[in-house]
Amino acid sequence: TIDLHLNGSFDLFGRQHTVVTGVDWREIVFTQYQMQTDFDQAIPPQTVYNFNPGAIPAPSKVRYNRGWLDYGSFQEGIYARINWSLSDRLNLITGFRNANYDYESPLVSFDATGENIVSRRLTKHGEDNILTPYVGLTFTVNPQWLLYASLTDIYKAQPNRLAAPMPGTPLDAVEGRNMEVGAKGDFKDGRLTTSLSLYRIEQTGEAVRDPAFNSTNIGDFGLNCCWIELGEVVSEGVDTEINGEI
């Protein structure tokens, strides 16, 4: 992850406000191989009730069959946040992030020796100009207590989840919003901190397994099939935390 940003301030309506602008770049990649195990001798039948691992012969060879080299997601974006000082105690925070998202799944296949690559395929999926705004409000009750409220949009791409029928098509992104209100306390010069928050998360399109299909890895067209999209899912709860230093 690379993050470059600038901090500044400006005067408006007789008060000073702060602003942060920046650009960021994120890369999350993995490498995965599928192995092939060869046996010169036949493997005797086994059951879960009478399993004898000693009866299974040693493999004559374990070799590469397929591989996904450096598959994963790449993001680049710009963001900004302004802290509007409405009064000595009240602050309004507004911001956004605009990002481009790319997903790559390069598939390679090996020959019978497992040493030489005989074919390559690359699947790519991208989405541009993903805008996620943010707004928050803070109120300082006294030097120890702070009240806050926030609203954030949710956008989570999931192109590695494929929808039926085979070979599958990428699901749409998960979209929603996160709402939170709470209070934070700071005592003993920061040696004791507390927080209490109420939250509500609304999401649409989260992937779950399609019961009509077995889980199948499909390197040519993505990673895994098959999935379906949930409707709206709402999570609500209370979160409390106390941290102390002895």
Side-chain angles (χ1 to χ4, degrees):
T1 299
I2 299 176
D3 189 324
L4 302 175
H5 61 271
L6 295 174
N7 299 321
S9 62
F10 61 95
D11 293 327
L12 185 66
F13 302 124
R15 303 195 65 82
Q16 188 176 68
H17 316 278
T18 59
V19 59
V20 178
T21 61
V23 297
D24 59 19
W25 184 83
R26 306 174 187 177
E27 175 183 293
I28 303 176
V29 295
F30 306 89
T31 293
Q32 176 182 340
Y33 290 98
Q34 182 183 83
M35 309 301 292
Q36 176 73 38
T37 304
D38 298 330
F39 294 89
D40 290 337
Q41 305 176 44
I43 301 176
Q46 300 281 335
T47 69
V48 295
Y49 304 104
N50 190 24
F51 179 68
N52 181 13
I56 300 177
S60 57
K61 187 174 186 179
V62 178
R63 56 185 173 86
Y64 290 119
N65 184 18
R66 296 193 299 176
W68 294 265
L69 309 182
D70 294 331
Y71 74 89
S73 61
F74 310 86
Q75 293 187 47
E76 57 184 8
I78 60 174
Y79 63 89
R81 185 179 71 251
I82 301 177
N83 189 334
W84 304 91
S85 177
L86 305 182
S87 71
D88 291 342
R89 293 187 175 187
L90 186 62
N91 288 272
L92 173 66
I93 304 167
T94 59
F96 75 91
R97 182 172 186 263
N98 188 278
N100 299 327
Y101 175 93
D102 288 296
Y103 179 84
E104 295 185 1
S105 178
L107 170 71
V108 297
S109 298
F110 294 86
D111 61 10
T113 67
E115 298 176 356
N116 303 305
I117 296 175
V118 294
S119 67
R120 298 176 182 268
R121 295 287 298 272
L122 176 63
T123 297
K124 298 186 67 174
H125 174 79
E127 297 181 63
D128 295 331
N129 296 320
I130 303 169
L131 181 64
T132 51
Y134 167 86
V135 62
L137 198 66
T138 65
F139 179 76
T140 302
V141 179
N142 54 43
Q144 288 76 40
W145 287 102
L146 175 75
L147 304 179
Y148 70 92
S150 66
L151 174 63
T152 309
D153 276 3
I154 297 172
Y155 188 98
K156 183 175 68 174
Q158 49 184 1
N160 58 323
R161 309 297 194 192
L162 305 181
M166 300 282 281
T169 54
L171 294 179
D172 292 334
V174 178
E175 297 189 66
R177 58 183 181 175
N178 186 348
M179 296 164 282
E180 185 174 337
V181 295
K184 295 183 179 180
D186 190 313
F187 308 94
K188 302 293 184 181
D189 295 326
R191 294 194 298 272
L192 175 64
T193 59
T194 64
S195 65
L196 170 66
S197 64
L198 306 176
Y199 64 86
R200 177 182 172 92
I201 302 173
E202 302 172 353
Q203 293 189 113
T204 302
E206 187 75 36
V208 294
R209 285 288 183 190
D210 189 336
F213 295 86
N214 293 325
S215 174
T216 305
N217 290 327
I218 304 176
D220 296 61
F221 298 95
L223 279 183
N224 193 269
C225 196
C226 294
W227 302 76
I228 56 177
E229 295 178 353
L230 285 176
E232 185 181 51
V233 177
V234 177
S235 301
E236 297 178 324
V238 179
D239 190 9
T240 61
E241 184 175 344
I242 300 177
N243 294 305
E245 178 182 336
I246 300 176

